[in-house]
Amino acid sequence: METIQFSNVNFAYPMADRKALDNVSLTVNKSEFIVICGKSGCGKTTLLKHMKKNLIPYGRFEGSVTYEGDEISELDDRRNAAEIGFVQQNPDNQIVTDKVWHELAFGLESLGLSNRAIKSRVAEMASYFDIQSWFRKDVSQLSGGQKQLLNLASIMAMQPKLLVLDEPTSQLDPIAASEFLRTIYKINRDLGTTIILSEHRLEEAFTMADRVCVMDQGRVIAYDNPRTIGKVLAGAGPEDRHPMFYGLPSITKIFQAAGGEGTSPLTIREGRLWIDTRMKYAGVQPAPREAIWQNASRGGEVKEKVKNPAIHIENAWFRYDKNSGDILRGLSLDVPKGTLFCILGGNGVGKSTTLKAINGIVKLQRGKIRTDGKLAMLPQNPQALFTEISVEDELMEALHFDKRSDEEKVHDVVEMLNLMEISHLRKSHPYDLSGGEQQRLALGKVLLLDPDVILLDEATKGLDPFFKITLAGILKKLTEEGKTLFMVSHDIEFCAEFADVCAMFFDGDIVSVGTPGEFFPGNNFYTTAANRMAREYFPEAITWEEVARCVADSM
Amino acid sequence: MFKEGIGESSEFSGFHPWVNLIYYVLAIGITMFSLSPWFLIATFVLSWTYSLLLRGKSVVKLNLIFTFWTLVLMALINVLFVHNGKTVFFYVRGNGITLEALIYGVSAAVMLISVIIWFTSFNVIMSSDKLIFIFGKAAPVLGLTLSMIFRYVPLLKNRFSEIRMGQACLGRGSEQGYLAKLRQFGKEVSILISWSLESSIESADSMEARGYGLRGRTSFHLYKITRRDAVLLILMLALGAIVVTGTILGKTSVWFYPVYVVHEFDLMTGVTLAAYVLLLSLPILIDIYGEVKWKRSSLAM
């Protein structure tokens, strides 16, 4: 029997003029792994929430949603709690108790199990998820990835048959995200739990999925195998492409755009083999590449000096505590004016500390930092800025200390609403905005202070691929106006496509700097999926469009 | 070991929460009802000893300041407002300042100080986990509520510092002037509240999704009673019974007014006092034994 069955479901939120779900019919079989993708606000979350009784949103509903043949809205409460697990986006908000072990036991306590029974279940889960070493810790000491893993383990302790996950990795860094996805995959393979996952990071999720469901404006526009779904969205040519095509993983996009036949490769390995066969067929030789021992002296070239840098950091040393290790170790950096300068690097290497140092929130022990012009920063969580009850008031609040007349202020606010493309939301409450819209509102608020240099902390975190393109457009406009943007990011694909200069941060210092064209081909691991796939033949091609063009041209 | 204090790794802390709790109920309970000088000296000295043993030198200053001011204040207030007693030192505006009032003030102050200092070690021994366990036994909801409070305090702290940082990003938070500072603080608190209310909706969803609100909720814990818990519990209760019997027999009675009279020190008084001292020093002995055992085993390695 089908685990989940949507039959002709229509749903609209109260007061909304558009349907959030438009005639959705969908079947999920037992033990399947389903990935749902689509733009923010396309109805993914609404769809997922209909699969859990206590989360079903209020509004006009038609049709039927069943779990193993029973209507979800009439499901027994105990069965709803135990058999259907639901993981949300924000790791922090889902944790309720103060200790890891207590959180693991939470669901089992609700079900009224005895102490002995809970103990054996919790022990089992802690071992399966490798939680033993932090089993007795306070939850406040965990990293974001550990918190989300704990949320998952706490649900798995109830042994659900269906696991629904709503963008569980959007708040995590790439390494924690990929570990989380692998854990879900393991659960699916080991325990046969049915998985329904909504995701933006499709590169990895596609390799795990049995079927992919693409949604747009409340409708399911494609529901197919990940190897063939690209074909459905690609249409007949570049003009015929569905907008959702741009949200697919690079490999699929390259395959379709370069005119691949048959089923699409999913992993980098398959992609490389596919290019290999194509190139052999076309008679193209791999690009000559120096072996690593031949260019031992490379990477040491001295860069020419940046004239009039917007941010100048010289030999900066910093540590938080007398007894802790150095976070910044002789960092020197010049950021040219009017560029989007991206800093890439792993967790805890000192990227955020650099931002704080530039902003003057922490004081250096040695070295100096100079910024040219007014400075402002966009924090990681846009909520930290919101005080007002509507978007336009929020922007007005930024000008609170401005001495100009009200008309001039209103004029500026209206202009900013247009620049950020959020004019249609001017009366909404900031908390009712989606993640991407909140990010743009926060950016607008920061920009109203008229800074020359803007620091961005993980500005693309949790955004879908489409919002990223919009954001990139806005950032482009800003750099053209002569503003300098300094961004710290985990998002390699975004930096590769849109940055002017990229730098790699490691162990308290910058280890390499360059334009994306110089920066990425030199890296082996720390580069885009497209580049990793095609580097043997086209080492200079970084974005999926470049690779697709190169492959198509050489045919 | 005594510089830093033993802290939560103390041997006594490893006993079952009920044993810990009953010890403190006895220690603090009996302290609160005894004004006999022997008892006061015993509880005062031992409460200080255990507090220092657990928390090390960092707590000395705090305890000293508290002890000194409580002593001075209570003795002074009692002397100035109570004029009973036969032994008059001198007169202030026609009111006698008496020795008996001074003794009463000091005795009451020592009692209060001892209770408070017992609580400084109580805080180390009765960790949040144990409190949650004990309250959870009374009512699962109570235990859970406590646990959620312990969860939200650090969360809100982190969130508040993030908000401060966010405001600093806008160039706020370094206002001059009292009013402007207050206004900015109000703004930050208001952000914290709306943010937390917003996220608490998700927490409520997550609780309900995991079956919160179903009938017959249980309360999970990681504690189990072993033989040594039972032995210590019986020992403590036996000693406690002796002390209470002695008190009921009037062996610890004291009269302050008009003249300070202490019950004569007979055999039963001695037994009662010995039982009391032994009861109070049990965790100290256990902890020192525990430390010595560790020292030995690390030397043997």
PDB file of all heavy atoms in Angstrom, chain A residues 148-162:
ATOM      1  N   GLN A 148      21.024  19.455  14.632  1.00  0.00           N
ATOM      2  CA  GLN A 148      20.069  18.921  13.665  1.00  0.00           C
ATOM      3  C   GLN A 148      20.089  17.392  13.697  1.00  0.00           C
ATOM      4  O   GLN A 148      19.055  16.752  13.570  1.00  0.00           O
ATOM      5  CB  GLN A 148      20.397  19.471  12.272  1.00  0.00           C
ATOM      6  CG  GLN A 148      19.286  19.348  11.259  1.00  0.00           C
ATOM      7  CD  GLN A 148      18.031  20.140  11.607  1.00  0.00           C
ATOM      8  OE1 GLN A 148      17.485  20.009  12.698  1.00  0.00           O
ATOM      9  NE2 GLN A 148      17.561  20.939  10.684  1.00  0.00           N
ATOM     10  N   LEU A 149      21.274  16.824  13.899  1.00  0.00           N
ATOM     11  CA  LEU A 149      21.394  15.372  14.016  1.00  0.00           C
ATOM     12  C   LEU A 149      20.635  14.880  15.250  1.00  0.00           C
ATOM     13  O   LEU A 149      19.996  13.834  15.233  1.00  0.00           O
ATOM     14  CB  LEU A 149      22.878  15.002  14.133  1.00  0.00           C
ATOM     15  CG  LEU A 149      23.325  13.709  13.478  1.00  0.00           C
ATOM     16  CD1 LEU A 149      22.935  13.677  12.019  1.00  0.00           C
ATOM     17  CD2 LEU A 149      24.826  13.550  13.620  1.00  0.00           C
ATOM     18  N   LEU A 150      20.702  15.666  16.317  1.00  0.00           N
ATOM     19  CA  LEU A 150      19.986  15.322  17.546  1.00  0.00           C
ATOM     20  C   LEU A 150      18.473  15.351  17.297  1.00  0.00           C
ATOM     21  O   LEU A 150      17.744  14.462  17.744  1.00  0.00           O
ATOM     22  CB  LEU A 150      20.366  16.304  18.650  1.00  0.00           C
ATOM     23  CG  LEU A 150      19.579  16.202  19.959  1.00  0.00           C
ATOM     24  CD1 LEU A 150      19.761  14.834  20.582  1.00  0.00           C
ATOM     25  CD2 LEU A 150      20.025  17.281  20.937  1.00  0.00           C
ATOM     26  N   ASN A 151      17.998  16.362  16.572  1.00  0.00           N
ATOM     27  CA  ASN A 151      16.577  16.424  16.244  1.00  0.00           C
ATOM     28  C   ASN A 151      16.143  15.178  15.489  1.00  0.00           C
ATOM     29  O   ASN A 151      15.091  14.601  15.752  1.00  0.00           O
ATOM     30  CB  ASN A 151      16.280  17.653  15.386  1.00  0.00           C
ATOM     31  CG  ASN A 151      16.302  18.924  16.198  1.00  0.00           C
ATOM     32  OD1 ASN A 151      15.855  18.934  17.335  1.00  0.00           O
ATOM     33  ND2 ASN A 151      16.841  19.984  15.634  1.00  0.00           N
ATOM     34  N   LEU A 152      16.996  14.775  14.538  1.00  0.00           N
ATOM     35  CA  LEU A 152      16.683  13.592  13.746  1.00  0.00           C
ATOM     36  C   LEU A 152      16.674  12.344  14.636  1.00  0.00           C
ATOM     37  O   LEU A 152      15.736  11.540  14.572  1.00  0.00           O
ATOM     38  CB  LEU A 152      17.726  13.456  12.630  1.00  0.00           C
ATOM     39  CG  LEU A 152      17.567  12.269  11.703  1.00  0.00           C
ATOM     40  CD1 LEU A 152      16.274  12.379  10.927  1.00  0.00           C
ATOM     41  CD2 LEU A 152      18.739  12.180  10.749  1.00  0.00           C
ATOM     42  N   ALA A 153      17.690  12.217  15.475  1.00  0.00           N
ATOM     43  CA  ALA A 153      17.799  11.029  16.333  1.00  0.00           C
ATOM     44  C   ALA A 153      16.625  10.954  17.299  1.00  0.00           C
ATOM     45  O   ALA A 153      16.088   9.874  17.565  1.00  0.00           O
ATOM     46  CB  ALA A 153      19.110  11.061  17.106  1.00  0.00           C
ATOM     47  N   SER A 154      16.219  12.128  17.800  1.00  0.00           N
ATOM     48  CA  SER A 154      15.121  12.155  18.750  1.00  0.00           C
ATOM     49  C   SER A 154      13.825  11.671  18.110  1.00  0.00           C
ATOM     50  O   SER A 154      12.981  11.053  18.759  1.00  0.00           O
ATOM     51  CB  SER A 154      14.981  13.591  19.264  1.00  0.00           C
ATOM     52  OG  SER A 154      13.731  13.793  19.802  1.00  0.00           O
ATOM     53  N   ILE A 155      13.676  11.950  16.827  1.00  0.00           N
ATOM     54  CA  ILE A 155      12.491  11.464  16.119  1.00  0.00           C
ATOM     55  C   ILE A 155      12.640   9.980  15.774  1.00  0.00           C
ATOM     56  O   ILE A 155      11.712   9.195  15.921  1.00  0.00           O
ATOM     57  CB  ILE A 155      12.266  12.310  14.855  1.00  0.00           C
ATOM     58  CG1 ILE A 155      11.744  13.674  15.267  1.00  0.00           C
ATOM     59  CG2 ILE A 155      11.309  11.627  13.891  1.00  0.00           C
ATOM     60  CD1 ILE A 155      11.867  14.716  14.216  1.00  0.00           C
ATOM     61  N   MET A 156      13.858   9.602  15.375  1.00  0.00           N
ATOM     62  CA  MET A 156      14.077   8.207  15.000  1.00  0.00           C
ATOM     63  C   MET A 156      13.911   7.266  16.194  1.00  0.00           C
ATOM     64  O   MET A 156      13.648   6.082  16.017  1.00  0.00           O
ATOM     65  CB  MET A 156      15.475   8.021  14.388  1.00  0.00           C
ATOM     66  CG  MET A 156      15.628   8.582  12.984  1.00  0.00           C
ATOM     67  SD  MET A 156      14.332   8.063  11.852  1.00  0.00           S
ATOM     68  CE  MET A 156      14.630   6.298  11.754  1.00  0.00           C
ATOM     69  N   ALA A 157      14.093   7.790  17.413  1.00  0.00           N
ATOM     70  CA  ALA A 157      13.927   6.957  18.605  1.00  0.00           C
ATOM     71  C   ALA A 157      12.501   6.414  18.701  1.00  0.00           C
ATOM     72  O   ALA A 157      12.261   5.386  19.310  1.00  0.00           O
ATOM     73  CB  ALA A 157      14.262   7.757  19.859  1.00  0.00           C
ATOM     74  N   MET A 158      11.552   7.110  18.080  1.00  0.00           N
ATOM     75  CA  MET A 158      10.162   6.636  18.102  1.00  0.00           C
ATOM     76  C   MET A 158       9.900   5.626  16.985  1.00  0.00           C
ATOM     77  O   MET A 158       8.777   5.174  16.819  1.00  0.00           O
ATOM     78  CB  MET A 158       9.212   7.829  17.987  1.00  0.00           C
ATOM     79  CG  MET A 158       9.243   8.712  19.219  1.00  0.00           C
ATOM     80  SD  MET A 158       7.918   9.909  19.234  1.00  0.00           S
ATOM     81  CE  MET A 158       8.507  11.086  18.063  1.00  0.00           C
ATOM     82  N   GLN A 159      10.938   5.312  16.233  1.00  0.00           N
ATOM     83  CA  GLN A 159      10.860   4.350  15.123  1.00  0.00           C
ATOM     84  C   GLN A 159       9.747   4.665  14.135  1.00  0.00           C
ATOM     85  O   GLN A 159       8.833   3.860  13.917  1.00  0.00           O
ATOM     86  CB  GLN A 159      10.699   2.930  15.677  1.00  0.00           C
ATOM     87  CG  GLN A 159      11.852   2.551  16.578  1.00  0.00           C
ATOM     88  CD  GLN A 159      11.675   1.219  17.250  1.00  0.00           C
ATOM     89  OE1 GLN A 159      10.615   0.607  17.176  1.00  0.00           O
ATOM     90  NE2 GLN A 159      12.710   0.767  17.913  1.00  0.00           N
ATOM     91  N   PRO A 160       9.796   5.848  13.521  1.00  0.00           N
ATOM     92  CA  PRO A 160       8.753   6.202  12.554  1.00  0.00           C
ATOM     93  C   PRO A 160       8.904   5.401  11.257  1.00  0.00           C
ATOM     94  O   PRO A 160       9.989   4.930  10.945  1.00  0.00           O
ATOM     95  CB  PRO A 160       9.019   7.687  12.298  1.00  0.00           C
ATOM     96  CG  PRO A 160      10.465   7.865  12.561  1.00  0.00           C
ATOM     97  CD  PRO A 160      10.829   6.887  13.636  1.00  0.00           C
ATOM     98  N   LYS A 161       7.798   5.269  10.551  1.00  0.00           N
ATOM     99  CA  LYS A 161       7.856   4.585   9.253  1.00  0.00           C
ATOM    100  C   LYS A 161       8.047   5.596   8.129  1.00  0.00           C
ATOM    101  O   LYS A 161       8.442   5.238   7.028  1.00  0.00           O
ATOM    102  CB  LYS A 161       6.546   3.832   9.009  1.00  0.00           C
ATOM    103  CG  LYS A 161       6.338   2.672   9.952  1.00  0.00           C
ATOM    104  CD  LYS A 161       5.081   1.943   9.539  1.00  0.00           C
ATOM    105  CE  LYS A 161       4.695   0.904  10.577  1.00  0.00           C
ATOM    106  NZ  LYS A 161       3.292   0.485  10.371  1.00  0.00           N
ATOM    107  N   LEU A 162       7.689   6.859   8.427  1.00  0.00           N
ATOM    108  CA  LEU A 162       7.803   7.903   7.417  1.00  0.00           C
ATOM    109  C   LEU A 162       8.538   9.085   8.032  1.00  0.00           C
ATOM    110  O   LEU A 162       8.236   9.514   9.146  1.00  0.00           O
ATOM    111  CB  LEU A 162       6.406   8.342   6.956  1.00  0.00           C
ATOM    112  CG  LEU A 162       6.307   9.640   6.163  1.00  0.00           C
ATOM    113  CD1 LEU A 162       6.987   9.498   4.816  1.00  0.00           C
ATOM    114  CD2 LEU A 162       4.852  10.035   5.970  1.00  0.00           C
TER     115      LEU A 162
END
